Amino acid sequence: MTEETPGFDENEKPEGTSDATTPDDAAKAAGEELVEVGLQAQLDQAQAALGERTADLQRLQAEYQNYRRRVERDRVAVKEVAVANLLSELLPTLDDIGRARDHGELVGGFKSVAESLETVVAKMGLQQFGKEGEPFDPLVHEALMHSYAPDVTETTCVQILQPGYRIGERTIRPARVAVAEPQPGAGPKAEESSDEESGGPEEG
């Protein structure tokens, strides 16, 4: 026969053990949940701030790129204007050189200096234009003399009084030319000759 410990029931649990959560455990879980919520809020706030800073940085980069392009464009434009102004001041000298060459006076040391100057201005982009026989274009030609000629079919440059100069697409000075137009009445003459062959025009 086994002796039983008085006052002890096998179905009874020892003191201090229970299936229910203690107040300390509940407080600890609630504290951890609050910490997690706070961390998530901080993370969301940090991500929002990062997004704003990234957008600001992208905007600043775009503005800087636009600024650089604008400065480069302005620098090129200022350079072109400066070169054009310089070359415009040299045009009378180039005209003198051209006249001296036409009269056979471009000889000796003067010829070497003139050719060196023409080489330099060509390297700077200066181009001469204007030739006899080309059609008159008011955008690049300036007519100083006008006449009629039977051997032209349109307004034509028959003499180059001063050559024109351009840099790229920019005209520094138009070519100053003498132009000739078709002879007035050239068309009606053909009609008159055909009328004469048929017996002449009727007299009014």
Side-chain angles (χ1 to χ4, degrees):
M1 215 178 150
T2 344
E3 292 184 1
E4 295 183 358
T5 308
F8 179 77
D9 187 355
E10 291 179 359
N11 295 327
E12 289 182 5
K13 293 184 179 179
E15 288 185 10
T17 60
S18 171
D19 290 336
T21 306
T22 62
D24 290 342
D25 291 340
K28 184 177 180 182
E32 289 177 353
E33 186 176 350
L34 286 175
V35 169
E36 185 177 348
V37 170
L39 290 175
Q40 185 62 43
Q42 289 180 0
L43 179 60
D44 293 341
Q45 186 177 1
Q47 288 177 338
L50 177 62
E52 291 177 2
R53 298 299 177 270
T54 303
D56 291 342
L57 179 60
Q58 291 173 343
R59 184 170 58 254
L60 287 174
Q61 286 179 333
E63 290 176 357
Y64 178 64
Q65 292 297 332
N66 291 334
Y67 168 76
R68 285 187 61 185
R69 282 193 290 267
R70 188 167 57 250
V71 167
E72 181 64 19
R73 190 168 55 245
D74 292 346
R75 186 185 68 80
V76 171
V78 168
K79 180 182 177 182
E80 288 178 352
V81 170
V83 170
N85 290 338
L86 172 62
L87 295 177
S88 296
E89 295 297 324
L90 292 175
L91 295 187
T93 303
L94 296 174
D95 291 336
D96 291 339
I97 292 172
R99 281 190 289 268
R101 181 179 285 113
D102 293 339
H103 291 89
E105 299 172 359
L106 197 62
V107 294
F110 178 51
K111 180 180 180 181
S112 299
V113 173
E115 290 175 349
S116 297
L117 178 60
E118 289 174 336
T119 301
V120 169
V121 296
K123 285 182 179 178
M124 296 177 72
L126 187 68
Q127 299 174 339
Q128 187 183 100
F129 67 90
K131 294 180 180 179
E132 293 182 6
E134 63 186 7
F136 175 76
D137 182 354
L139 297 177
V140 295
H141 297 130
E142 181 181 352
L144 300 183
M145 298 174 63
H146 176 269
S147 63
Y148 295 98
D151 57 342
V152 297
T153 57
E154 60 180 336
T155 304
T156 304
C157 302
V158 293
Q159 185 180 359
I160 306 300
L161 305 175
Q162 276 186 331
Y165 290 96
R166 67 166 63 97
I167 301 176
E169 298 298 322
R170 175 183 297 188
T171 299
I172 303 300
R173 185 183 74 187
R176 291 165 179 165
V177 300
V179 299
E181 289 184 328
Q183 191 74 34
K189 273 187 179 180
E191 293 178 4
E192 287 176 9
S193 61
S194 63
D195 288 341
E196 288 174 0
E197 288 175 2
S198 62
E202 295 181 0
E203 295 183 359

